[in-house]
Amino acid sequence: MTEVVGEPEKRVRPAVQVIAAVAVFLAVIGALWAQRVFFPQQQTGSVPASCSKSADRLPARYVSGARLCEALNRPDLPALLGTPREQAETASGTGDWITMAGGTKIASPDATVTLKTYSVKLSASYDRLSVADVEGLMDGARRTTVLGHPAVLYSSPTISIGFSLGGGKASTGPGGTARCLLVSRHPKDDGQGTFEVALWRQDDVLPDDAALERVAEQVLRTVPGWDGG
């Protein structure tokens, strides 16, 4: 049996080393493999999935993947997505580092919740890039606001990951399109951190922007480190 899942590509950052991207990619495969091999009841049981044990390697001054997962995996998430009859099938969070050129390490915690129709990813960035900086790197990006905070809405391709549960072999290829909402942590776009909510569909249909905005508005206000002004 072969499973195929999607994962949005990491947002482009200046001078990010190729080896860091490979390491993150392998970590994604490992996490997805572990969820499906060791926690199959999260996919097929009648009880919504709870957040799996987080592999957090970040100091306490950063929000952890576990806390991001708790904020994202809320009971009303299916309703916010417009699929109220569904429930979380997997939920996980990680907290790790991305190594930039020159050896600088940047905290990069995130959490992902999957349902039958949608997958949602919540991440925090500490790279000191403002929303305006990131907007300049993205084609077709649109400025907006979320809860009064500067934000940018853009599209990102996803990677399709297929693997055989019996043989342990993985393959990759292009997937669908994720819609991403990058929001400044503070009411001013000061480059002091951002949060991002990404939404993509399992059938590769373009996600609903209204659903993405609903999730962002309800989830971000509950995330540790969010500045409500």
Side-chain angles (χ1 to χ4, degrees), residues 63-65 67-73 92-94 109-113 120-124 181 195-200 215-216 219-220 222-224:
V63 64
S64 67
R67 295 296 299 274
L68 292 178
C69 189
E70 291 173 5
L72 184 60
N73 190 29
S92 63
T94 60
D110 61 60
T112 303
V113 175
V120 193
K121 184 174 184 177
L122 172 64
S123 58
L181 193 57
F195 291 111
E196 183 173 88
V197 182
L199 179 65
W200 67 99
V215 172
V219 169
L220 289 179
T222 70
V223 176

Side-chain angles (χ1 to χ4, degrees), residues 39-75:
F39 303 101
Q41 70 278 9
Q42 293 185 349
Q43 297 181 8
T44 59
S46 59
V47 179
S50 58
C51 291
S52 60
K53 186 176 180 180
S54 175
D56 283 308
R57 301 180 177 87
L58 301 177
R61 66 179 179 273
Y62 300 108
V63 64
S64 67
R67 295 296 299 274
L68 292 178
C69 189
E70 291 173 5
L72 184 60
N73 190 29
R74 47 192 290 148

Side-chain angles (χ1 to χ4, degrees), residues 192-227:
Q192 297 300 307
T194 56
F195 291 111
E196 183 173 88
V197 182
L199 179 65
W200 67 99
R201 290 179 60 111
Q202 318 302 359
D203 57 8
D204 295 341
V205 173
L206 191 67
D208 180 12
D209 283 351
L212 174 60
E213 292 167 359
R214 286 195 300 268
V215 172
E217 289 176 354
Q218 296 304 314
V219 169
L220 289 179
R221 67 176 82 231
T222 70
V223 176
W226 173 259
D227 181 1

Side-chain angles (χ1 to χ4, degrees), residues 1-3 29 33 161-172:
M1 179 173 63
T2 299
E3 294 200 18
I29 293 179
W33 176 267
I161 307 171
F163 51 90
S164 171
L165 294 180
K169 295 182 178 180
S171 61
T172 63

